[in-house]
mmCIF file of all heavy atoms in Angstrom:
data_model
loop_
_atom_site.group_PDB
_atom_site.id
_atom_site.type_symbol
_atom_site.label_atom_id
_atom_site.label_comp_id
_atom_site.label_asym_id
_atom_site.label_seq_id
_atom_site.Cartn_x
_atom_site.Cartn_y
_atom_site.Cartn_z
ATOM 1 N N ALA B 181 3.653 -14.356 -28.952
ATOM 2 C CA ALA B 181 4.930 -13.890 -28.416
ATOM 3 C C ALA B 181 5.944 -13.148 -29.354
ATOM 4 O O ALA B 181 6.079 -13.770 -30.421
ATOM 5 C CB ALA B 181 5.612 -14.895 -27.485
ATOM 6 N N ASP B 182 6.577 -12.111 -28.988
ATOM 7 C CA ASP B 182 7.607 -11.598 -29.854
ATOM 8 C C ASP B 182 8.826 -12.442 -29.865
ATOM 9 O O ASP B 182 9.043 -13.349 -29.028
ATOM 10 C CB ASP B 182 7.995 -10.184 -29.534
ATOM 11 C CG ASP B 182 8.601 -10.064 -28.212
ATOM 12 O OD1 ASP B 182 7.847 -10.383 -27.222
ATOM 13 O OD2 ASP B 182 9.713 -9.650 -28.078
ATOM 14 N N GLU B 183 9.723 -12.276 -30.887
ATOM 15 C CA GLU B 183 10.839 -13.164 -31.034
ATOM 16 C C GLU B 183 11.908 -13.088 -29.873
ATOM 17 O O GLU B 183 12.288 -14.061 -29.343
ATOM 18 C CB GLU B 183 11.774 -12.767 -32.273
ATOM 19 C CG GLU B 183 11.107 -13.122 -33.503
ATOM 20 C CD GLU B 183 11.231 -12.054 -34.602
ATOM 21 O OE1 GLU B 183 12.284 -11.706 -34.869
ATOM 22 O OE2 GLU B 183 10.131 -11.638 -35.177
ATOM 23 N N LEU B 184 11.973 -11.772 -29.274
ATOM 24 C CA LEU B 184 13.011 -11.680 -28.235
ATOM 25 C C LEU B 184 12.427 -12.381 -26.906
ATOM 26 O O LEU B 184 13.219 -13.065 -26.280
ATOM 27 C CB LEU B 184 13.092 -10.163 -27.814
ATOM 28 C CG LEU B 184 14.468 -9.668 -27.560
ATOM 29 C CD1 LEU B 184 15.370 -9.954 -28.720
ATOM 30 C CD2 LEU B 184 14.322 -8.184 -27.104
ATOM 31 N N THR B 185 11.119 -12.486 -26.680
ATOM 32 C CA THR B 185 10.658 -13.100 -25.616
ATOM 33 C C THR B 185 10.792 -14.562 -25.795
ATOM 34 O O THR B 185 11.249 -15.313 -24.885
ATOM 35 C CB THR B 185 9.089 -12.808 -25.520
ATOM 36 O OG1 THR B 185 8.966 -11.410 -25.280
ATOM 37 C CG2 THR B 185 8.426 -13.568 -24.364
ATOM 38 N N LEU B 186 10.595 -15.112 -26.949
ATOM 39 C CA LEU B 186 10.781 -16.562 -27.278
ATOM 40 C C LEU B 186 12.299 -16.927 -27.165
ATOM 41 O O LEU B 186 12.651 -17.977 -26.634
ATOM 42 C CB LEU B 186 10.322 -16.848 -28.753
ATOM 43 C CG LEU B 186 8.784 -16.936 -28.902
ATOM 44 C CD1 LEU B 186 8.459 -17.380 -30.381
ATOM 45 C CD2 LEU B 186 8.200 -17.968 -27.931
ATOM 46 N N ILE B 187 13.097 -16.128 -27.585
ATOM 47 C CA ILE B 187 14.559 -16.465 -27.424
ATOM 48 C C ILE B 187 14.890 -16.542 -25.935
ATOM 49 O O ILE B 187 15.479 -17.518 -25.502
ATOM 50 C CB ILE B 187 15.457 -15.317 -28.148
ATOM 51 C CG1 ILE B 187 15.361 -15.401 -29.564
ATOM 52 C CG2 ILE B 187 16.951 -15.384 -27.674
ATOM 53 C CD1 ILE B 187 15.984 -14.152 -30.311
ATOM 54 N N LYS B 188 14.411 -15.565 -25.173
ATOM 55 C CA LYS B 188 14.613 -15.568 -23.702
ATOM 56 C C LYS B 188 14.072 -16.892 -23.164
ATOM 57 O O LYS B 188 14.632 -17.535 -22.214
ATOM 58 C CB LYS B 188 14.073 -14.491 -23.004
ATOM 59 C CG LYS B 188 14.867 -13.119 -23.260
ATOM 60 C CD LYS B 188 16.195 -12.988 -22.671
ATOM 61 C CE LYS B 188 16.905 -11.690 -22.937
ATOM 62 N NZ LYS B 188 18.226 -11.649 -22.206
ATOM 63 N N ALA B 189 12.819 -17.158 -23.543
ATOM 64 C CA ALA B 189 12.101 -18.382 -22.950
ATOM 65 C C ALA B 189 12.876 -19.654 -23.278
ATOM 66 O O ALA B 189 12.989 -20.616 -22.481
ATOM 67 C CB ALA B 189 10.657 -18.380 -23.469
ATOM 68 N N PHE B 190 13.407 -19.603 -24.569
ATOM 69 C CA PHE B 190 14.140 -20.829 -25.066
ATOM 70 C C PHE B 190 15.437 -20.993 -24.368
ATOM 71 O O PHE B 190 15.746 -21.960 -23.698
ATOM 72 C CB PHE B 190 14.444 -20.641 -26.514
ATOM 73 C CG PHE B 190 14.740 -21.893 -27.260
ATOM 74 C CD1 PHE B 190 13.773 -23.003 -27.484
ATOM 75 C CD2 PHE B 190 16.104 -22.244 -27.727
ATOM 76 C CE1 PHE B 190 14.022 -24.065 -28.115
ATOM 77 C CE2 PHE B 190 16.311 -23.340 -28.326
ATOM 78 C CZ PHE B 190 15.382 -24.356 -28.468
ATOM 79 N N GLU B 191 16.112 -19.859 -24.137
ATOM 80 C CA GLU B 191 17.468 -19.902 -23.513
ATOM 81 C C GLU B 191 17.302 -20.297 -22.017
ATOM 82 O O GLU B 191 18.093 -20.958 -21.414
ATOM 83 C CB GLU B 191 18.076 -18.452 -23.437
ATOM 84 C CG GLU B 191 18.736 -18.124 -24.812
ATOM 85 C CD GLU B 191 19.274 -16.666 -24.756
ATOM 86 O OE1 GLU B 191 19.028 -16.037 -23.695
ATOM 87 O OE2 GLU B 191 19.810 -16.299 -25.670
ATOM 88 N N GLY B 192 16.147 -19.905 -21.419
ATOM 89 C CA GLY B 192 15.976 -20.128 -20.005
ATOM 90 C C GLY B 192 15.222 -21.433 -19.657
ATOM 91 O O GLY B 192 14.812 -21.713 -18.581
ATOM 92 N N ARG B 193 15.234 -22.346 -20.678
ATOM 93 C CA ARG B 193 14.481 -23.660 -20.447
ATOM 94 C C ARG B 193 15.108 -24.431 -19.274
ATOM 95 O O ARG B 193 16.250 -24.323 -19.066
ATOM 96 C CB ARG B 193 14.511 -24.477 -21.680
ATOM 97 C CG ARG B 193 15.790 -24.989 -22.269
ATOM 98 C CD ARG B 193 15.606 -25.492 -23.719
ATOM 99 N NE ARG B 193 16.832 -25.991 -24.235
ATOM 100 C CZ ARG B 193 17.904 -25.214 -24.630
ATOM 101 N NH1 ARG B 193 17.751 -23.921 -24.695
ATOM 102 N NH2 ARG B 193 19.001 -25.791 -25.149
ATOM 103 N N LYS B 194 14.317 -25.176 -18.540
ATOM 104 C CA LYS B 194 14.666 -25.968 -17.472
ATOM 105 C C LYS B 194 14.043 -27.325 -17.555
ATOM 106 O O LYS B 194 13.046 -27.540 -18.238
ATOM 107 C CB LYS B 194 14.143 -25.384 -16.189
ATOM 108 C CG LYS B 194 14.932 -24.090 -15.788
ATOM 109 C CD LYS B 194 14.607 -23.644 -14.309
ATOM 110 C CE LYS B 194 13.597 -22.458 -14.258
ATOM 111 N NZ LYS B 194 13.386 -22.026 -13.051
ATOM 112 N N SER B 195 14.763 -28.284 -16.965
ATOM 113 C CA SER B 195 14.235 -29.802 -16.973
ATOM 114 C C SER B 195 13.008 -29.738 -16.054
ATOM 115 O O SER B 195 12.842 -28.966 -15.009
ATOM 116 C CB SER B 195 15.152 -30.717 -16.449
ATOM 117 O OG SER B 195 15.285 -30.750 -15.076
#
Side-chain angles (χ1 to χ4, degrees):
Chain B
D182 62 298
E183 289 140 55
L184 221 59
T185 301
L186 282 185
I187 290 170
K188 289 285 183 184
F190 197 74
E191 281 176 1
R193 66 192 182 277
K194 285 192 258 184
S195 81

